[in-house]
Short mmCIF file of all heavy atoms in Angstrom, two decimals:
data_model
loop_
_atom_site.label_atom_id
_atom_site.label_comp_id
_atom_site.label_asym_id
_atom_site.label_seq_id
_atom_site.Cartn_x
_atom_site.Cartn_y
_atom_site.Cartn_z
N THR A 267 -9.66 15.31 23.40
CA THR A 267 -8.42 14.55 23.33
C THR A 267 -8.36 13.68 22.08
O THR A 267 -7.34 13.63 21.38
CB THR A 267 -8.26 13.67 24.58
OG1 THR A 267 -8.24 14.50 25.74
CG2 THR A 267 -6.97 12.85 24.52
N ILE A 268 -9.44 12.98 21.77
CA ILE A 268 -9.42 12.07 20.63
C ILE A 268 -9.28 12.84 19.32
O ILE A 268 -8.66 12.35 18.37
CB ILE A 268 -10.69 11.18 20.61
CG1 ILE A 268 -10.57 10.10 19.56
CG2 ILE A 268 -11.94 12.03 20.41
CD1 ILE A 268 -9.36 9.20 19.71
N THR A 269 -9.84 14.05 19.27
CA THR A 269 -9.68 14.88 18.07
C THR A 269 -8.22 15.24 17.84
O THR A 269 -7.71 15.16 16.71
CB THR A 269 -10.52 16.16 18.19
OG1 THR A 269 -11.91 15.82 18.39
CG2 THR A 269 -10.40 17.02 16.94
N VAL A 270 -7.54 15.61 18.91
CA VAL A 270 -6.12 15.95 18.80
C VAL A 270 -5.30 14.72 18.41
O VAL A 270 -4.40 14.80 17.56
CB VAL A 270 -5.62 16.53 20.14
CG1 VAL A 270 -4.11 16.80 20.08
CG2 VAL A 270 -6.36 17.82 20.47
N ARG A 271 -5.60 13.57 19.03
CA ARG A 271 -4.84 12.36 18.70
C ARG A 271 -5.01 12.00 17.22
O ARG A 271 -4.05 11.61 16.54
CB ARG A 271 -5.32 11.19 19.57
CG ARG A 271 -5.23 11.41 21.07
CD ARG A 271 -3.82 11.56 21.55
NE ARG A 271 -3.77 11.63 23.01
CZ ARG A 271 -3.16 12.58 23.70
NH1 ARG A 271 -2.50 13.54 23.07
NH2 ARG A 271 -3.17 12.57 25.02
N LYS A 272 -6.21 12.12 16.70
CA LYS A 272 -6.44 11.78 15.30
C LYS A 272 -5.79 12.79 14.36
O LYS A 272 -5.28 12.42 13.30
CB LYS A 272 -7.95 11.69 15.03
CG LYS A 272 -8.61 10.48 15.69
CD LYS A 272 -10.08 10.37 15.35
CE LYS A 272 -10.69 9.09 15.96
NZ LYS A 272 -12.12 8.94 15.64
N PHE A 273 -5.78 14.06 14.76
CA PHE A 273 -5.09 15.06 13.95
C PHE A 273 -3.60 14.73 13.87
O PHE A 273 -2.98 14.85 12.79
CB PHE A 273 -5.30 16.45 14.55
CG PHE A 273 -4.43 17.51 13.93
CD1 PHE A 273 -4.70 17.99 12.66
CD2 PHE A 273 -3.33 18.02 14.62
CE1 PHE A 273 -3.90 18.97 12.08
CE2 PHE A 273 -2.53 19.00 14.05
CZ PHE A 273 -2.82 19.47 12.78
N MET A 274 -3.01 14.33 14.99
CA MET A 274 -1.59 13.98 14.98
C MET A 274 -1.33 12.78 14.07
O MET A 274 -0.29 12.71 13.40
CB MET A 274 -1.12 13.67 16.41
CG MET A 274 -1.11 14.88 17.31
SD MET A 274 0.06 16.14 16.75
CE MET A 274 -0.56 17.59 17.61
N GLN A 275 -2.25 11.84 14.03
CA GLN A 275 -2.07 10.68 13.16
C GLN A 275 -2.23 11.04 11.68
O GLN A 275 -1.58 10.44 10.82
CB GLN A 275 -3.06 9.58 13.53
CG GLN A 275 -2.69 8.82 14.79
CD GLN A 275 -1.29 8.24 14.73
OE1 GLN A 275 -0.45 8.54 15.55
NE2 GLN A 275 -1.02 7.39 13.75
N VAL A 276 -3.09 12.01 11.40
CA VAL A 276 -3.20 12.49 10.01
C VAL A 276 -1.86 13.05 9.54
O VAL A 276 -1.43 12.80 8.40
CB VAL A 276 -4.31 13.56 9.90
CG1 VAL A 276 -4.26 14.24 8.53
CG2 VAL A 276 -5.68 12.92 10.12
N MET A 277 -1.19 13.75 10.43
CA MET A 277 0.13 14.28 10.09
C MET A 277 1.17 13.17 10.04
O MET A 277 1.99 13.10 9.12
CB MET A 277 0.55 15.33 11.12
CG MET A 277 -0.41 16.49 11.27
SD MET A 277 -0.45 17.54 9.80
CE MET A 277 1.13 18.34 9.95
N GLY A 278 1.13 12.27 11.05
CA GLY A 278 2.17 11.25 11.18
C GLY A 278 2.09 10.13 10.18
O GLY A 278 3.12 9.54 9.81
N LEU A 279 0.88 9.78 9.74
CA LEU A 279 0.73 8.72 8.75
C LEU A 279 0.28 9.25 7.39
O LEU A 279 0.78 8.81 6.36
CB LEU A 279 -0.29 7.68 9.25
CG LEU A 279 0.16 6.77 10.39
CD1 LEU A 279 -0.97 5.83 10.79
CD2 LEU A 279 1.38 5.96 10.00
N GLY A 280 -0.66 10.20 7.41
CA GLY A 280 -1.21 10.69 6.14
C GLY A 280 -0.25 11.58 5.37
O GLY A 280 0.17 11.26 4.26
N LEU A 281 0.12 12.71 5.97
CA LEU A 281 0.98 13.66 5.26
C LEU A 281 2.38 13.09 5.02
O LEU A 281 2.99 13.34 3.98
CB LEU A 281 1.06 14.97 6.04
CG LEU A 281 1.73 16.16 5.34
CD1 LEU A 281 1.05 16.44 4.00
CD2 LEU A 281 1.68 17.40 6.22
N SER A 282 2.87 12.30 5.98
CA SER A 282 4.19 11.70 5.77
C SER A 282 4.19 10.74 4.59
O SER A 282 5.18 10.61 3.87
CB SER A 282 4.65 10.97 7.04
OG SER A 282 3.86 9.82 7.28
N SER A 283 3.06 10.08 4.35
CA SER A 283 2.94 9.17 3.21
C SER A 283 2.99 9.92 1.89
O SER A 283 3.52 9.41 0.90
CB SER A 283 1.64 8.37 3.29
OG SER A 283 1.62 7.55 4.44
N VAL A 284 2.44 11.12 1.88
CA VAL A 284 2.49 11.94 0.67
C VAL A 284 3.94 12.22 0.28
O VAL A 284 4.34 12.10 -0.89
CB VAL A 284 1.71 13.25 0.87
CG1 VAL A 284 1.89 14.17 -0.34
CG2 VAL A 284 0.23 12.97 1.11
N PHE A 285 4.74 12.58 1.27
CA PHE A 285 6.16 12.85 0.98
C PHE A 285 6.90 11.57 0.62
O PHE A 285 7.86 11.61 -0.16
CB PHE A 285 6.81 13.53 2.17
CG PHE A 285 6.44 14.97 2.33
CD1 PHE A 285 5.56 15.38 3.32
CD2 PHE A 285 6.94 15.93 1.46
CE1 PHE A 285 5.20 16.72 3.46
CE2 PHE A 285 6.59 17.27 1.58
CZ PHE A 285 5.72 17.66 2.58
N ALA A 286 6.48 10.43 1.18
CA ALA A 286 7.09 9.16 0.80
C ALA A 286 6.82 8.85 -0.67
O ALA A 286 7.70 8.38 -1.39
CB ALA A 286 6.56 8.03 1.69
N LEU A 287 5.60 9.11 -1.11
CA LEU A 287 5.27 8.92 -2.52
C LEU A 287 6.09 9.84 -3.41
O LEU A 287 6.58 9.44 -4.47
CB LEU A 287 3.77 9.17 -2.74
CG LEU A 287 2.82 8.12 -2.18
CD1 LEU A 287 1.37 8.59 -2.31
CD2 LEU A 287 3.00 6.78 -2.88
N CYS A 288 6.25 11.10 -2.96
CA CYS A 288 7.07 12.04 -3.73
C CYS A 288 8.51 11.55 -3.81
O CYS A 288 9.17 11.70 -4.85
CB CYS A 288 7.02 13.42 -3.08
SG CYS A 288 5.41 14.22 -3.13
N LEU A 289 8.98 10.95 -2.73
CA LEU A 289 10.36 10.46 -2.71
C LEU A 289 10.59 9.37 -3.75
O LEU A 289 11.67 9.26 -4.33
CB LEU A 289 10.67 9.92 -1.30
CG LEU A 289 12.09 9.41 -1.03
CD1 LEU A 289 13.11 10.51 -1.28
CD2 LEU A 289 12.19 8.91 0.40
N GLY A 290 9.56 8.59 -3.99
CA GLY A 290 9.68 7.52 -4.97
C GLY A 290 9.56 7.97 -6.41
O GLY A 290 9.73 7.16 -7.32
N HIS A 291 9.25 9.26 -6.62
CA HIS A 291 9.05 9.75 -7.99
C HIS A 291 9.97 10.92 -8.32
O HIS A 291 9.63 11.76 -9.16
CB HIS A 291 7.59 10.19 -8.19
CG HIS A 291 6.62 9.04 -8.20
ND1 HIS A 291 6.13 8.48 -7.02
CD2 HIS A 291 6.06 8.35 -9.22
CE1 HIS A 291 5.29 7.49 -7.34
NE2 HIS A 291 5.23 7.40 -8.66
#
Side-chain angles (χ1 to χ4, degrees):
T267 300
I268 189 57
T269 302
V270 176
R271 303 295 186 233
K272 290 183 177 181
F273 170 73
M274 292 296 161
Q275 284 305 121
V276 170
M277 302 292 288
L279 288 178
L281 190 55
S282 68
S283 297
V284 174
F285 285 106
L287 289 173
C288 294
L289 183 58
H291 291 82

